[in-house]
Amino acid sequence: MNISTFKRLEDKFLITEEQYTALKDRITDFMELDSYCQNGSYKILNIYFDSEDGEVIRKSVQKPYFKEKLRLRSYGVPESGESKVFLELKRKSAGIVNKRRATLTYDEAKNYIEKGEKPKNADYLTSQVLSEIDYFLEKTKAVPRYFLSYDRIAMFGKKDKGLRLTLDNNIQSRRDDLSLSSDCYGRQLLPPNTRLMEVKFLGAIPLELVKILSELKIYRRSFSKIGAEYKTSLLTEKAKHNETADVR
């Protein structure tokens, strides 16, 4: 078991497949694929936590100065109870992202979430982050509420290891069958022919990348996967309500 802390800036972009093709051909001189992308991309599965009335995500989409979210994440479907998963408390303040992450086995994570049992023989740092998560859960009364999965391509700067670029597509969500060991299926959250690109960096985006993005007309745009899930669900519920009203 271990815990990691990340602190960085993030910019997001929605790009077309045509822009993606042009972009990847132009950044190979200074960026390289993550080792997990040996087969082209890899699958990420998440379970997000929220209060029963959706207050955590509702506040998040209002873009407050400070916000925090809790998720359970795995890279690929866990093969057994001993597979590694990550319990992450992600905070964002004034545009700066800070992520506290504890690495657990899938069984340890389920026992903690379902029964409140902390892992036996947890080291000091793991205990510390789980205490922070305890406080978040007590404060928000959050429980597992949303499943999100997507396919990711990730790249790192060859010289600047603080530079990371990710491209996600096939973003799917659902509010039932909240298990990382289930199949990936659900409502699509991106328009066809679209990828979500995130550029994560320390300090500033390199000028060579800024120039390429400008030439390809790739512009920054606010987008949250879990926020998109929340907004899409609201629209669906509104449409159902209108249909019921029309029938009456």
Side-chain angles (χ1 to χ4, degrees):
M1 291 170 287
N2 57 62
I3 171 178
S4 299
T5 300
F6 306 89
K7 188 174 182 180
R8 64 196 176 197
L9 294 166
E10 295 180 352
D11 281 347
K12 298 183 180 182
F13 310 80
L14 292 180
I15 68 174
T16 65
E17 287 296 324
E18 292 75 18
Q19 287 173 318
Y20 163 63
T21 299
L23 175 68
K24 69 178 182 179
D25 290 340
R26 298 187 60 177
I27 61 177
T28 54
D29 287 344
F30 59 94
M31 300 201 75
E32 59 187 354
L33 285 173
D34 185 299
S35 59
Y36 291 103
C37 293
Q38 297 299 324
N39 296 319
S41 65
Y42 56 92
K43 183 76 71 175
I44 297 180
L45 296 80
N46 305 274
I47 295 175
Y48 280 83
F49 291 66
D50 200 353
S51 54
E52 292 292 347
D53 63 357
E55 183 180 11
V56 174
I57 303 305
R58 185 168 63 251
K59 286 184 176 179
S60 177
V61 299
Q62 294 172 353
K63 300 180 181 179
Y65 181 83
F66 172 82
K67 59 183 179 181
E68 56 186 345
K69 291 178 281 192
L70 177 65
R71 68 189 175 201
L72 178 66
R73 166 172 287 189
S74 68
Y75 295 88
V77 176
E79 296 179 356
S80 72
E82 293 302 308
S83 297
K84 285 186 178 181
V85 297
F86 306 92
L87 198 56
E88 300 178 343
L89 187 59
K90 186 175 182 181
R91 301 181 175 109
K92 189 172 185 179
S93 180
I96 298 176
V97 177
N98 184 289
K99 184 166 68 177
R100 300 274 280 169
R101 181 170 77 177
T103 304
L104 309 169
T105 68
Y106 189 29
D107 280 345
E108 286 173 338
K110 287 190 292 185
N111 285 336
Y112 173 72
I113 293 167
E114 296 170 5
K115 305 174 185 177
E117 296 179 0
K118 293 184 178 179
K120 296 179 180 179
N121 304 316
D123 57 34
Y124 172 77
L125 291 177
T126 301
S127 298
Q128 184 181 44
V129 74
L130 290 177
S131 293
E132 292 179 31
I133 292 172
D134 282 343
Y135 178 75
F136 172 85
L137 293 173
E138 181 180 357
K139 177 178 64 175
T140 62
K141 310 301 180 186
V143 295
R145 288 291 307 276
Y146 320 103
F147 175 94
L148 269 82
S149 66
Y150 41 92
D151 300 318
R152 169 164 288 183
I153 297 171
M155 305 183 77
F156 287 94
K158 291 181 179 179
K159 295 181 179 179
D160 180 4
K161 298 303 180 182
L163 175 64
R164 177 172 166 84
L165 186 150
T166 61
L167 294 131
D168 300 333
N169 68 340
N170 193 29
I171 303 175
Q172 302 177 94
S173 73
R174 62 177 186 261
R175 295 192 176 192
D176 55 5
D177 192 11
L178 301 179
S179 171
L180 296 180
S181 55
S182 297
D183 291 335
C184 297
Y185 66 92
R187 176 190 295 135
Q188 289 285 344
L189 297 182
L190 280 180
N193 192 45
T194 305
R195 292 177 186 258
L196 170 64
M197 183 174 76
E198 298 183 50
V199 180
K200 305 169 187 184
F201 53 95
L202 302 172
I205 299 178
L207 289 177
E208 55 189 339
L209 180 56
V210 172
K211 181 180 178 182
I212 292 171
L213 296 179
S214 178
E215 291 173 352
L216 295 178
K217 295 181 171 56
I218 297 175
Y219 305 117
R220 186 170 58 184
R221 176 171 173 179
S222 176
F223 185 90
S224 163
K225 298 183 188 75
I226 191 63
E229 196 286 335
Y230 177 77
K231 292 176 182 177
T232 301
S233 294
L234 284 181
L235 291 174
T236 301
E237 291 174 6
K238 183 177 180 180
K240 289 181 179 179
H241 176 77
N242 290 339
E243 288 178 2
T244 303
D246 290 341
V247 170
R248 291 177 181 174

